[in-house]
Structures are given as structure tokens and as C-alpha cells.
Amino acid sequence: MDRSATLRVIDFGTVTPLRSQTLWHAIASGVSAGGPPTLAFCRPGGRYVSIGFHRSIDELDPEMCGPTGLAVFRRMVGGGPVYIDPGQLFFQMVVPADWATARRGETIRRLLEPAVAAFRDVGIPASFDDEIVLGDRKICGHAGGQIGGALVAVGNVIDSFDHAAAASIVRAPAPEARDEYLRQMRRFVAATPTDFDAFVAAATHRYADAFALDPFPGDLDATERRELDRLDRLFVDPEWVGGVEGRRRPWWRVKVTSKVWVTHARIDALRVTAAFREGRVRSVRVCTDDGVSVATRNVEEVMRRFGAPRIGELLEEMAAGAPA
Amino acid sequence: MAEVRGCDIPEDVYYWPEKHVWARPADDGTVTVGVTDVAQHLAHSIISAMPKGAGKKVKRGRSLGTIESGKWVGPVTAPVTGEVIEPNPLLASDPGVINRDPYGDGWYVRMQPDDWAGESAELVTGTDGVAAYEAFLEAEGITCRE
């Protein structure tokens, strides 16, 4: 069989949280070594937290995550901390690095558009707008990158989403900041219940078609299995999970979607939490340490009440900051 | 500095156009390496950069470290073989400096090359280098005006 024109398809079924990460990293090593392009699927058998390659462990709530809470695994692709549970089906497309186009954005789109088509095939009219969305709601968390000599795009199909659990994993500087994060997630992140098997079939067809490859059911080879053993050890190594020291930011910021983020900062005795969509204030809440709390969509109102120059300047600075 | 298809392509550095990296040799034999204006433009807002640490040996064509933008983590390719002698310390706190000043404060690493004289011949520089980079951008349809 000419492996260069085939698409290996592996449906791992339900796997442990650890394996739901290490399996596709092992595939990346296989593809780097000349293995066939591969489309993989898995369902995590338990709840855990996945954190992006460059992100600080300090972004996670220490009581909810880590030794006394949910397991944390650091992936080798981008994005922030995410909550994962058995209500999600994961797909990963892994192709040789020399399939990249000169434009990174175009590469990501090529790797995700077949998934968008698969969503549509199973009755979910999804589209791609920096991420996979249904209208203005994100319905698929994705990330990607080059691991060795392989390009990897990962995403999920969400059967049910526990917004409260997802908000709880993030270290928030104040209760109102976490509340706002949860509120915005409920508004802009949605589950799209569907038959996982139907999605697997549709995605297989769409990816094979998009890359002009013949799909065949496969499994890891011996080299990938050895790499899997290594990755199983690496991903629970505290040094790997701990990663790098966090970047200090002038204010706390958490992304809800590619267009929506929530920020929080303190000015003397005032705590300011704001939600932005495409750089525009969606809501702002100002709290004082003596219990006053004002939430509004009206920036003028909080500026009048709490001091226009400083709050106005802060909101402008927060809006200018790109979401992390 | 030459402007090519809206991208800044200075003549005084060496390029590997396909990898969008540059190298600038110093009198002490070290080489400063970074990503080009084209790369930072294609990446958009760079939110993280993690060069390999001092002492790491890297072969030409392999990864000197990573850069992240838009949830995508990609490598910065070594233009020559050598040892990293200094990662840019500014990148940990301000990775966006790569966007603002890719040939200056946004440099990625300093290296001690194994064979600059030999391997630099694989790179392009000067007016010929700018022309070669321009030809690549034209072939790929890339501009920095998008």
C-alpha cells in the first residue's frame, strides 16, 4: 500500500485521561518518522485539565487542579487551560510538517475545515470564524502546532458541557471575576449533542476527501507504542506539568472564545471586572472592599460613579490587550 | 531597510526565506538569530516565545524553540548548526516585542555557530538575499499588507 496516499484512521474509543493526550502525541512522533497522515478519535474516561504548551500552571486554581483535585496534563500545542470530561469526543488530524502552507492561518483552516463539514453532515450548521462556531457560540475547542515533523490540529465535539466546572479550574483573582467568566461562557460556549459515531464517520469521509487520501483503519505501530510509554511517563512528570514560569501581566485575563474575554484589575480599593467582545465592553462590574457592587453595560455610569479618568483609562487598556 | 511586498527585509542580515528566519554574525564569532518581519506578520499577535536554553546544541533545520500565536505552537528553525549561548531574556515577559521589532529587540537567540563560514553559504544576504526573499514571497503570494 502506498502510505503517502492513505489516511490512517484510529478510533481509540474510551481511554484514560492520560492516554487521551499521550496517544495523539505518539502519533505525531510516528508521522514525524514517516508514518501515514492520521486521523484519530478518543473519548476521555474521566475528568481532567489540559494546559497549553506555553501556559503557566499558576493560571489554574490550586484547589481544583493538581494533587488534591483534577489531574493536569500539559499538551505540546497551544491555547489555554481547558476542562475536559467524558461528555467530549476528541479528534486529532496529524499530517507531515511539509504539508504546511506558508500562512499559518491557512494551515489551521485546512486542518479544521473538514471537521466543520463533518459537523454540518451530522446536522450542526457550524462554520469557521477563527474557531469552529455555531452562530456566535464556540462549539469546539481547538489547538494546533508543529510537533517535530508533524502538524497537529486537535478539536472536540461537545455532547454536554459543564460550564461551572470549566470556570472552576481557573485561578480567579476575585469571586466576581470567576462569576463573569462563567456568565460569558454560558453565553458564548455551547454543547452540540450529536451521535459521536456519526461524527467519526463523517469526519473520516471529509478529511479523506479534503486531502485526497484513502482512509484505512489502523493502529499505532511498534515505534509509536514505545513513544507512548515514554509520553505516559513524561506527562505525569511534575517538571513537565509545571512547565514555565508565568508571564506577569498588568491584569488578570481569561479567554472565553477567540473574540470574547474577561479581565479583572484592581485600582486602589476598587475591583474592576470587565467582559469584552472584539475589543468592546460587554459588561463591567466595579466592587469595593466594603461591599458596594455595581454591574452595568453602561461604562459612562461606572465612570461617573467611581472616577472617570482612571476607570476609563483602565478599560481602554484592557480592551486594547489581545486575548491570550 | 528594503521593503518588499510591504515587509521589512533588511539587507544586512542572512536569510533562510522558506523558514522565515534571519541570522546576523557579530565580530566575536557569535550569531544572533530571529524571525523575520514576514514571520511575525503571518503569525499575527505572538503571545508566547520559548527559546531553548543556553548550552543547547541545535542542528541547522531543527528547532531553536517555539513561538505561539492563535493557539498554534510552531518552531523557530535554526539557520545554522551551533550552541545556544543566550536566549533573549525579554521574550519571557514581552513576547510581543517580536511583532514590534523582529530584527532588533525581538531577536530570538544568540548562537555560537559550529561552521558559520560553511553554513552561511546556504543562506542569502545583501541585495541578492532581498531579491531571493522577494521571489519566495511572490511565489507564495505573501504580502505584509494583508
Side-chain angles (χ1 to χ4, degrees):
Chain A
M1 187 183 291
D2 176 9
R3 288 295 168 111
S4 64
T6 60
L7 175 66
R8 178 174 57 164
V9 181
I10 312 177
D11 186 349
F12 292 106
T14 300
V15 298
T16 64
L18 173 64
R19 283 284 169 93
S20 74
Q21 291 293 324
T22 54
L23 279 163
W24 57 269
H25 285 85
I27 291 170
S29 81
V31 173
S32 293
T38 301
L39 176 64
F41 302 92
C42 68
R43 302 150 188 81
R47 305 187 310 154
Y48 70 99
V49 172
S50 169
I51 187 166
F53 185 63
H54 287 124
R55 302 301 280 267
S56 168
I57 204 80
D58 292 341
E59 293 181 50
L60 299 175
D61 184 294
E63 288 185 11
M64 291 301 298
C65 310
T68 60
L70 297 171
V72 178
F73 302 119
R74 182 178 296 279
R75 58 186 183 268
M76 295 182 186
V77 293
V82 290
Y83 167 80
I84 291 169
D85 70 18
Q88 302 170 33
L89 166 74
F90 276 82
F91 61 88
Q92 298 96 25
M93 184 64 179
V94 189
V95 304
D98 59 10
W99 288 20
T101 60
R103 292 179 182 80
R104 180 189 53 82
E106 195 177 302
T107 299
I108 296 169
R109 205 165 36 248
R110 277 193 76 209
L111 289 170
L112 289 176
E113 275 183 342
V116 175
F119 272 104
R120 299 177 79 89
D121 289 345
V122 298
I124 300 161
S127 57
F128 189 77
D129 181 13
D130 284 336
E131 55 200 349
I132 299 178
V133 296
L134 181 62
D136 62 5
R137 294 180 180 206
K138 177 163 91 171
I139 59 167
C140 167
H142 83 265
Q146 182 174 335
I147 302 175
L151 305 178
V152 182
V154 304
N156 60 356
V157 181
I158 307 171
D159 184 60
S160 61
F161 191 65
D162 187 339
H163 293 86
S168 73
I169 67 162
V170 171
R171 185 196 296 261
E176 66 270 18
R178 190 190 304 284
D179 290 347
E180 187 61 26
Y181 179 39
L182 175 56
R183 206 166 70 85
Q184 298 300 331
M185 266 208 292
R186 284 189 167 135
R187 168 64 183 83
F188 287 108
V189 180
T192 52
T194 190
D195 184 300
F196 281 173
D197 290 340
F199 182 86
V200 168
T204 300
H205 165 71
R206 289 295 186 172
Y207 274 102
D209 195 45
F211 289 93
L213 301 170
D214 288 329
F216 72 97
D219 204 347
L220 300 186
D221 66 20
T223 308
E224 288 168 328
R225 291 211 167 275
R226 280 194 296 278
E227 177 65 2
L228 181 64
D229 289 340
R230 187 189 75 82
L231 290 163
D232 282 348
R233 292 190 298 275
L234 176 69
F235 273 48
V236 296
D237 181 337
E239 197 176 331
W240 172 261
V241 176
V244 292
E245 192 181 335
R247 176 150 62 101
R248 293 195 185 282
R249 298 178 189 279
W251 53 75
W252 179 86
R253 183 168 66 190
V254 62
K255 194 163 86 166
V256 180
T257 72
S258 66
K259 294 180 166 52
V260 179
W261 66 97
V262 175
T263 64
H264 177 93
R266 178 179 270 276
I267 305 177
D268 301 327
L270 300 179
R271 304 194 305 270
V272 180
T273 302
F276 294 88
R277 185 177 181 204
E278 295 187 274
R280 294 181 150 205
V281 175
R282 268 185 61 77
S283 67
V284 58
R285 176 183 290 273
V286 179
C287 301
T288 68
D289 290 341
D290 52 12
V292 174
S293 174
V294 174
T296 179
R297 288 187 171 217
N298 188 338
V299 175
E300 300 295 326
E301 183 189 331
V302 292
M303 286 167 59
R304 256 197 319 274
R305 182 155 176 184
F306 294 102
R310 297 190 68 190
I311 291 204
E313 282 166 19
L314 176 64
L315 289 172
E316 272 181 30
E317 285 174 24
M318 285 174 157
Chain B
M1 184 176 297
E3 187 184 306
V4 173
R5 297 172 71 85
C7 312
D8 290 333
I9 310 291
E11 293 175 2
D12 66 342
V13 296
Y14 289 73
Y15 296 101
W16 187 347
E18 293 82 357
K19 301 295 183 185
H20 300 299
V21 289
W22 58 264
R24 181 185 289 126
D27 291 343
D28 62 2
T30 65
V31 173
T32 302
V33 174
V35 304
T36 65
D37 186 43
V38 181
Q40 73 78 20
H41 185 85
L42 292 172
H44 300 295
S45 178
I46 292 170
I47 61 162
S48 295
M50 196 191 296
K52 290 185 172 170
K56 285 278 184 185
K57 297 277 287 182
V58 181
K59 285 187 176 169
R60 171 178 152 82
R62 304 304 291 263
S63 173
L64 278 170
T66 51
I67 280 178
E68 178 171 348
S69 65
K71 295 198 204 179
W72 183 269
V73 173
V76 174
T77 303
V80 290
T81 300
E83 181 178 324
V84 175
I85 53 174
E86 186 187 11
N88 184 348
L90 189 55
L91 300 181
S93 59
D94 182 16
V97 70
I98 295 175
N99 291 114
R100 298 191 305 273
D101 191 10
Y103 303 105
D105 289 345
W107 58 274
Y108 198 66
V109 295
R110 282 201 309 125
M111 297 180 73
Q112 184 64 59
D114 286 1
D115 177 21
W116 172 254
E119 287 191 325
S120 63
E122 303 289 321
L123 307 173
V124 294
T125 189
T127 52
D128 289 349
V130 171
Y133 209 156
E134 182 174 19
F136 176 74
L137 297 181
E138 218 166 285
E140 295 288 340
I142 296 170
T143 79
C144 295
R145 301 186 193 102
E146 296 166 9

